[in-house]
Amino acid sequence: MIGNKTLTIIKPMAVKKGFIGPILTKINEAGFRISAMKYLQLTVEEAKAFYDEHRLKPFYDDLVAFMSSGPIVVAIIEKENAVEEYRHLIGPTDPAKAPEGSIRRLYGTNLQQNGVHGSDSDISAERECNFFFSALERY
């Protein structure tokens, strides 16, 4: 299954602005199948654990604070070559540099509040999916 799944997170700002439906529609229209999904709010400790690989980077504390600031939607989405296909759909991290029609261009406001997270590799996708979902929660 590696290579055919990735994790997405609809970030707190996008949830707050009511973009859950439009973002999920874009994902669905791009041919992805949602195999697991939940609506939750990360604690500071959970956000620290999820973003642990970035702990030494200058943006880490702000990222943890932002990602634990409100509800998020996490989902495992599936499609052939899922990581690459989803990263193409969402666009670059900076919404200002993302192509017209990409999720981050449509629903992001800046580098941190860029609307969605997408796994950056198959290895990251596996780890991130396992962080949020047990085998019993996947369909």
Side-chain angles (χ1 to χ4, degrees), residues 79-101:
K79 181 180 186 178
E80 188 172 331
N81 201 21
V83 170
E84 185 177 327
E85 291 289 323
Y86 189 59
R87 293 198 66 82
H88 176 75
L89 179 66
I90 64 178
T93 306
D94 185 348
K97 296 177 182 174
E100 290 296 327

Side-chain angles (χ1 to χ4, degrees), residues 1-8 24 26-37 74-86 89 119 122 125-126 129-130 133-135 137-139:
M1 201 56 155
I2 286 184
N4 293 328
K5 69 180 172 190
T6 191
L7 184 90
T8 186
L24 292 175
K26 294 278 288 178
I27 291 168
N28 183 262
E29 288 174 347
F32 287 90
R33 181 181 86 80
I34 297 171
S35 61
M37 186 167 60
V74 294
I76 297 173
I77 56 177
E78 297 181 354
K79 181 180 186 178
E80 188 172 331
N81 201 21
V83 170
E84 185 177 327
E85 291 289 323
Y86 189 59
L89 179 66
S119 304
D122 289 336
E126 187 69 22
C129 291
N130 290 339
F133 296 97
S134 72
E137 297 174 299
R138 302 174 192 208
Y139 303 94

Side-chain angles (χ1 to χ4, degrees), residues 9-84:
I9 302 174
I10 302 175
K11 295 182 177 183
M13 174 275 309
V15 169
K16 184 177 182 178
K17 289 186 174 185
F19 295 149
I20 296 169
I23 290 171
L24 292 175
T25 297
K26 294 278 288 178
I27 291 168
N28 183 262
E29 288 174 347
F32 287 90
R33 181 181 86 80
I34 297 171
S35 61
M37 186 167 60
K38 42 175 109 165
Y39 188 58
L40 58 101
Q41 184 165 346
L42 292 172
T43 65
V44 169
E45 291 307 313
E46 289 166 337
K48 284 181 177 181
F50 184 75
Y51 288 105
D52 185 62
E53 68 188 270
H54 300 299
R55 72 185 170 283
L56 300 177
K57 295 179 181 168
F59 60 83
Y60 176 73
D61 290 336
D62 288 340
L63 178 61
V64 166
F66 171 62
M67 290 302 294
S68 60
S69 70
I72 60 174
V73 173
V74 294
I76 297 173
I77 56 177
E78 297 181 354
K79 181 180 186 178
E80 188 172 331
N81 201 21
V83 170
E84 185 177 327

